[in-house]
Amino acid sequence: MDAPSSSCSSLVALAGLASALRAARRGDRRYLEVARRSVIASAGLAASAMLLLEAAYVRDDFDFALVAGNSSTTTPLYYKLTAVWSTQAGSLLLWLCVLGAMSVVAVRNFRDEHRELEPITVAVLLAVSAFFAFLMVFYASPFDASPVGTSQGAGLQPLLRYPLMALHPIALYLGYAGATVPFAYAVAALARGRLDASWLTAVRRYAMLAWMFLAAGLVLGSRWSYAELGWGGYWGWDPVENAALLPWLTATAFIHSSVIQERRGMLKIWNVSLVAATFVLSLVGTFLVRSGILDSIHAFGASTLGVPFLLLIAATIALSVGLIVWRVPQLRSEHRLDGILSRETVFLLNNVILVGLAFVVFWGTFFPLISEAVTGTKSALGPPWFELYVTPLGIALVLLLAIGPNLAWKRTRPRALARVLRVPALLAVIAAAAAVSLGTSSTSAVLTTLGAALIVAASTQELARAATARAAATGAGRRRSALDVVRRNRRRYGGYLTHVGFATMLLGVAISGASKSGRDITMRPGDEVTVAGYRVAYERPTTSVRSEKIAFGTSLSIWRGGRRLGTLSPAREYYPSLDLGGSKGTFGRFFDGEATSEIGIRASFGRDLWISAAPDLETLRKPIEEANRRFSTVPPVAQALIINAIAERYVVQAPPVAFRVIVRTGVTWIWVGASVMALGALLALRRPRRRPGARRAALPAPENPARMPYSGVQ
């Protein structure tokens, strides 16, 4: 933010924090109202700053360093609007805006039964808001003036010019900020000693929202990696990718374990610890992108923000541990496990696996720092190490998800479980056998197929039985009865649908990882190559010259089984460097700047054909050098004509192109599974319709309206 608005935002947040703490201490509604209005005012200031910055991008106001360094006159409008959060300072402002919006929603939706928790909850939300406003005042202001005047701007980083990538940070920050609200509630519940299941009811929807947006951010990032980076994969165990995965794993564990506390009064310490861990790991993810301590394609690079974030993380851990230790007597479980074969046991094992996965990912991500501290040498762990541990844990998780919903609370007889799973298990075995017959030789892929089929079959069977029972009771049709059952039990069936989506996504990951076929080959027009039954024929080179980039592409004809499937056009796009008049020359900078790959993908529910192209531009060196020598001072219009002529020479000479051709089975099911997960989460989030005539009981008004019906910390 600029100095006045950022200072105002931080002062408003601090004033609201002081008022909220006073309200918590004295039980005075007037101070609480000040704190509530401070939340709204702080969010409004952050939103205003974002709108001002967006306006600066749209009108190409290069007096701002952020606009000059990350936009240009030729940048498309969509990328101008989304370029704000591609920078260090702009992403902090986005974090604050999203947190402000979440905080306003939380404040406006406090229920009467949770009023006792409101002052401390609001205090925590304002404290986090004040921290981010503080960073923008003293460390990274989005409104710093540009030290060097420019009329063009540097333009957006080429790798970020992908439509879904622009939405990736918003989804992640919605997840991170969403994790702040449950944490604030947990701190309030611990401070007040209100540790029954009521606080879980209050935070469930926020936890689900955070979980859903974190999942969306991870999937969008994976899709960007698959379609834009040019290495042929969708998940590379990059440190920043892993840092975003960590809070999703702990949030998943909390969503499941909170059900046990609601139903049985168990795992109280576990639940508050998971909420705190999710928020801390969200801060760790934000810190990792900004600190520069680990190498990542997603990181902003080294900065001075590492120390403030480390201090906040340390303070959060200290506060959480202190409150949990203080309230240990009240966090003891009300019941014990009644039997090994029960839903509680499976949920507990589910949590152990999820936390185990989080530990594996955390250890592998930070191992370079650990090894450097112990041995003095920084060593990294690659994808094979992660897959060695993640694969068996993931398979076990899928199998538990298949069995758990079919178990009863407290105790289930083995014979009853066998009767329920008889048909789903048979169908799952048939699906696994079919996978083997189709050529799947990977044990992990076969076991994942077995678990995924069991989840789908068991969930479908449960819905069918419930619909049949309702149809028999009401006389309605089977389809209408199924819809009625889902409407009346949205949380349950939303969870089942989410499980189906998750299993489908893991199935896609397992099969695509086990079925990859590929080849690197250099071809000229007229050459062809066959990979996994696909015949790829290189027809001709292509070129496209635009104001912001030059693309050298190819036209490939795709055949399979004697039938032409269509055309793919992978390309390599070059963005001009900022080396004006430097060593690359007036014209050389247009052909030797930062480059990105445009991947050719033919996707299907069976197999994906993925092709990248790397053209050889050595044949253009001589004409570029000649143009630099003879025409470096010609007007811009003449320069454009010369650049077009050089690019057309590439088409005429048709130099060899290095292609990477990859065929994978099942990749599309990753995106399908992610979409089904999102639908399940949205279904679970929808509130059930209140029956006509149902009214909430009125609560008696306190004798003194200026005082809340409590005071002090219990």
Side-chain angles (χ1 to χ4, degrees):
M1 297 178 183
D2 59 337
S5 59
S6 57
S7 299
C8 285
S9 180
S10 58
L11 289 174
V12 166
L14 289 173
L17 172 61
S19 298
L21 292 175
R22 189 175 180 87
R25 192 173 187 83
R26 298 193 175 187
D28 194 324
R29 282 189 180 275
R30 293 170 297 181
Y31 286 101
L32 178 58
E33 188 59 31
V34 171
R36 290 167 59 90
R37 295 188 180 189
S38 297
V39 169
I40 298 172
S42 178
L45 286 168
S48 299
M50 179 62 80
L51 289 174
L52 287 172
L53 196 57
E54 291 283 15
Y57 271 91
V58 170
R59 67 174 188 267
D60 295 327
D61 191 344
F62 299 127
D63 290 335
F64 294 104
L66 222 61
V67 181
N70 298 278
S71 184
S72 67
T73 54
T74 60
T75 300
L77 178 61
Y78 174 75
Y79 293 118
K80 286 183 179 180
L81 293 173
T82 57
V84 176
W85 44 83
S86 68
T87 63
Q88 181 89 268
S91 65
L92 289 175
L93 179 56
L94 176 64
W95 222 112
L96 183 60
C97 285
V98 173
L99 177 59
M102 285 283 188
S103 300
V104 170
V105 172
V107 166
R108 293 181 65 87
N109 285 278
F110 259 98
R111 295 187 178 183
D112 292 325
E113 59 264 34
H114 303 132
R115 289 295 176 190
E116 187 178 354
L117 306 179
E118 186 174 9
I120 297 178
T121 301
V122 171
V124 173
L125 293 173
L126 285 169
V128 179
S129 295
F131 171 79
F132 280 95
F134 169 83
L135 291 181
M136 286 185 285
V137 173
F138 296 103
Y139 287 89
S141 171
F143 288 91
D144 281 344
S146 177
V148 180
T150 178
S151 59
Q152 296 295 323
L156 181 64
Q157 213 273 346
L159 279 176
L160 301 180
R161 299 187 184 217
Y162 181 69
L164 294 180
M165 188 57 186
L167 305 177
H168 165 71
I170 297 179
L172 281 184
Y173 290 160
L174 282 167
Y176 290 161
T180 311
V181 178
F183 174 73
Y185 266 98
V187 169
L190 287 165
R192 290 294 180 195
R194 285 280 305 275
L195 297 168
D196 55 8
S198 64
W199 77 273
L200 293 175
T201 305
V203 305
R204 183 191 303 125
R205 292 172 63 81
Y206 298 107
M208 279 293 298
L209 276 172
W211 177 90
M212 182 179 70
F213 283 119
L214 284 171
L218 291 168
V219 172
L220 290 172
S222 298
R223 181 65 190 180
W224 168 72
S225 179
Y226 185 63
E228 191 72 13
L229 290 189
W231 64 284
Y234 44 79
W235 188 267
W237 297 105
D238 178 90
V240 173
E241 292 176 354
N242 296 348
L245 177 62
L246 287 169
W248 183 83
L249 290 169
T250 53
T252 306
F254 168 71
I255 290 169
H256 287 83
S257 64
S258 64
V259 178
I260 301 179
Q261 183 175 342
E262 289 182 55
R263 294 295 297 264
R264 301 295 312 281
M266 301 165 63
L267 302 183
K268 293 182 180 181
I269 293 179
W270 187 254
N271 281 323
V272 292
S273 299
L274 285 174
V275 169
T278 300
F279 177 62
V280 168
L281 291 172
S282 296
L283 295 177
V284 168
T286 309
F287 157 76
L288 202 58
V289 176
R290 290 161 176 78
S291 62
I293 62 172
L294 293 173
D295 295 330
S296 170
I297 193 174
H298 305 275
F300 290 118
S303 74
T304 58
L305 292 174
V307 173
F309 269 103
L310 279 178
L311 292 175
L312 177 62
I313 291 168
T316 303
I317 293 173
L319 174 65
S320 302
V321 172
L323 287 172
I324 291 171
V325 171
W326 179 35
R327 294 297 189 184
V328 161
Q330 294 172 256
L331 289 169
R332 292 195 177 97
S333 295
E334 299 170 14
H335 300 93
R336 295 182 180 274
L337 292 175
D338 295 305
I340 295 178
L341 200 59
S342 65
R343 189 174 294 193
E344 300 95 301
T345 302
V346 171
F347 273 32
L348 180 59
L349 291 174
N350 166 299
N351 266 238
V352 170
I353 290 174
L354 286 166
V355 173
L357 283 167
F359 176 77
V360 168
V361 174
F362 184 90
W363 181 267
T365 301
F366 288 93
F367 186 79
L369 301 181
I370 298 169
S371 65
E372 186 177 26
V374 175
T375 66
T377 303
K378 184 179 286 190
S379 302
L381 298 174
W385 183 89
F386 285 97
E387 291 162 7
L388 177 65
Y389 296 98
V390 169
T391 299
L393 290 173
I395 293 170
L397 184 61
V398 170
L399 294 175
L400 287 175
L401 288 177
I403 297 171
N406 297 284
L407 296 173
W409 295 102
K410 296 185 179 181
R411 186 180 289 108
T412 302
R413 293 181 179 180
R415 186 175 297 177
L417 178 62
R419 185 171 59 251
V420 171
L421 289 179
R422 182 173 52 200
V423 174
L426 177 61
L427 294 174
V429 169
I430 293 173
V436 172
S437 67
L438 291 173
T440 303
S441 57
S442 167
T443 303
S444 61
V446 173
L447 290 175
T448 304
T449 302
L450 179 73
L454 188 58
I455 289 175
V456 174
S459 301
T460 304
Q461 175 183 267
E462 200 279 338
L463 177 59
R465 287 182 173 179
T468 300
R470 180 161 182 81
T474 62
R478 186 75 63 87
R479 181 181 298 177
R480 179 170 180 177
S481 296
L483 291 175
D484 287 342
V485 167
V486 172
R487 288 194 194 101
R488 290 170 176 268
N489 300 275
R490 285 174 175 152
R491 184 181 173 192
R492 175 193 296 177
Y493 290 102
Y496 287 168
L497 189 59
T498 302
H499 288 175
V500 169
F502 178 70
T504 303
M505 188 170 66
L506 281 192
L507 180 63
V509 171
I511 293 178
S512 63
S515 63
K516 178 182 174 182
S517 300
R519 185 174 175 185
D520 292 337
I521 186 171
T522 299
M523 295 193 293
R524 292 180 178 274
D527 294 343
E528 61 182 45
V529 64
T530 300
V531 178
Y534 286 93
R535 181 162 63 90
V536 180
Y538 181 17
E539 294 182 342
R540 65 183 185 280
T542 62
T543 187
S544 171
V545 180
R546 298 180 183 176
S547 56
E548 76 277 6
K549 63 184 177 182
I550 301 174
F552 295 100
T554 58
S555 179
L556 305 176
S557 180
I558 311 300
W559 300 75
R560 186 181 180 189
R563 185 169 65 91
R564 191 175 189 277
L565 301 179
T567 301
L568 291 181
S569 303
R572 189 77 170 162
E573 297 179 340
Y574 294 82
Y575 292 79
S577 72
L578 300 179
D579 186 26
L580 299 175
S583 59
K584 297 175 183 178
T586 302
F587 296 94
R589 73 184 190 89
F590 288 94
F591 299 87
D592 204 17
E594 190 165 357
T596 63
S597 295
E598 285 300 307
I599 309 300
I601 300 177
R602 180 177 177 81
S604 70
F605 289 107
R607 296 194 289 181
D608 276 18
L609 175 63
W610 183 101
I611 305 176
S612 67
D616 182 2
L617 300 186
E618 283 301 316
T619 57
L620 302 183
R621 294 301 171 195
K622 286 187 178 179
I624 290 173
E625 291 173 0
E626 183 179 357
N628 283 335
R629 187 175 61 256
R630 297 178 58 187
F631 305 112
S632 60
T633 59
V634 300
V637 174
Q639 287 184 12
L641 293 174
I642 295 170
I643 291 170
N644 273 280
I646 295 173
E648 285 298 326
R649 184 169 242 178
Y650 169 82
V651 175
V652 173
Q653 295 180 344
V657 177
F659 292 96
R660 172 166 291 179
V661 183
I662 296 175
V663 177
R664 285 180 183 264
T665 301
V667 175
T668 297
W669 290 104
I670 298 174
W671 322 125
V672 171
S675 302
V676 173
M677 282 175 63
L679 291 175
L682 291 172
L683 178 61
L685 281 167
R686 287 197 63 185
R687 296 184 187 275
R689 292 181 181 177
R690 194 175 299 169
R691 293 190 304 273
R695 298 176 60 185
R696 186 181 299 172
L699 295 175
E703 294 181 5
N704 183 356
R707 295 278 174 179
M708 291 177 285
Y710 63 88
S711 63
V713 177
Q714 298 178 358

